[in-house]
Amino acid sequence: KAGVTQTPRYLIKTRGQQVTLSCSPISGHRSVSWYQQTPGQGLQFLFEYFSETQRNKGNFPGRFSGRQFSNSRSEMNVSTLELGDSALYLCASSQDTGGGSYNEQFFGPGTRLTVL
Amino acid sequence: DQQVKQNSPSLSVQEGRISILNCDYTNSMFDYFLWYKKYPAEGPTFLISISSIKDKNEDGRFTVFLNKSAKHLSLHIVPSQPGDSAVYFCAASYDKIIFGKGTRLHILP
């Protein structure tokens, strides 16, 4: 079974631009979560999508948004990029069969975004 | 407000010895705890987990201990091997998963 894939792997943008990152979950996984990893803050939760609906949201400004399609693929968008948005953006998928609070997450390799 | 804390940014351990990584949490709602391992240029990979109803879970060289009264968990790796050099993230879950900032483990030859 193929793992979680993220595209592109590397991206360079300038301040003020917007960017869209893509994530394809493991086949059969319905939940997709996004995280931002920076050296000083570790892994910070952005949001989670399940069945095309945002189910949870972290403490990030409205410039960060996402969506999930009917095939469970997800995109994350950051508008009006700032220098501080430079980070590794990780996507994780889980099967989420329901009934419990924990569903093991499988991470993709991430998209390294650099904002100049 | 950091709900999951890994207070040691880095740790160096001699090969063959025991590595102990620590994690503290503040939210008593957490009911599942996980450790992830991350190599450079790769996404984190799941290592081991423990439910809040247990105090120990073992998987080969890896053991996780949970002390609910102290809101503390630890990951023990014994014996430590060179391939264990990585960043280790502690995470806790109730309706979503919260990660710590990670501890970089260096295994010394």
Side-chain angles (χ1 to χ4, degrees):
Chain A
K1 205 182 244 190
V4 178
T5 58
Q6 292 186 245
T7 56
R9 291 294 310 278
Y10 301 92
L11 204 49
I12 299 175
K13 291 285 188 179
T14 55
R15 279 181 298 175
Q17 288 187 307
Q18 75 162 21
V19 67
T20 299
L21 313 181
S22 181
C23 172
S24 292
I26 292 172
S27 177
H29 285 195
R30 299 189 296 167
S31 168
V32 174
S33 297
W34 288 89
Y35 296 86
Q36 182 195 64
Q37 187 192 357
T38 56
Q41 295 299 320
L43 275 166
Q44 291 189 288
F45 173 74
L46 280 153
F47 29 65
E48 181 204 3
Y49 285 87
F50 179 82
S51 293
E52 302 179 64
T53 302
Q54 188 179 86
R55 186 159 68 173
N56 271 306
K57 191 176 189 303
N59 297 323
F60 278 80
R63 300 186 297 107
F64 292 81
S65 63
R67 58 177 176 167
Q68 186 180 33
F69 302 94
S70 58
N71 61 359
S72 293
R73 190 176 71 84
S74 177
E75 286 182 348
M76 187 193 115
N77 186 75
V78 188
S79 62
T80 319
L81 283 166
E82 301 177 0
L83 295 179
D85 296 333
S86 294
L88 179 68
Y89 290 88
L90 291 157
C91 162
S93 74
S94 64
Q95 199 163 16
D96 199 337
T97 52
S101 66
Y102 166 65
N103 295 281
E104 182 180 340
Q105 293 191 324
F106 296 83
F107 283 83
T111 294
R112 172 74 62 185
L113 172 65
T114 302
V115 182
L116 303 174
Chain B
D1 177 30
Q2 205 181 338
Q3 298 186 63
V4 178
K5 299 177 186 177
Q6 294 178 257
N7 292 318
S8 298
S10 67
L11 176 68
S12 294
V13 174
Q14 206 76 35
E15 182 180 353
R17 307 292 289 268
I18 183 170
S19 294
I20 300 177
L21 295 97
N22 293 303
C23 179
D24 297 295
Y25 62 95
T26 58
N27 192 335
S28 57
M29 295 289 291
F30 290 135
D31 59 1
Y32 217 93
F33 303 88
L34 311 94
W35 285 94
Y36 281 81
K37 176 180 178 179
K38 186 181 185 300
Y39 292 119
E42 295 181 14
T45 54
F46 171 75
L47 196 56
I48 192 169
S49 64
I50 187 167
S51 164
S52 61
I53 63 173
K54 295 186 175 182
D55 54 19
K56 177 182 174 181
N57 188 26
E58 198 170 348
D59 183 3
R61 297 186 298 114
F62 303 91
T63 303
V64 56
F65 295 93
L66 176 63
N67 182 333
K68 283 180 63 180
S69 60
K71 292 192 174 68
H72 177 84
L73 66 155
S74 60
L75 173 68
H76 291 212
I77 307 172
V78 56
S80 300
Q81 298 175 354
D84 297 330
S85 293
V87 177
Y88 290 79
F89 291 97
C90 166
S93 167
Y94 55 107
D95 66 339
K96 57 187 175 185
I97 297 179
I98 308 294
F99 285 83
K101 293 186 177 182
T103 296
R104 184 176 298 279
L105 176 63
H106 300 270
I107 304 301
L108 306 171

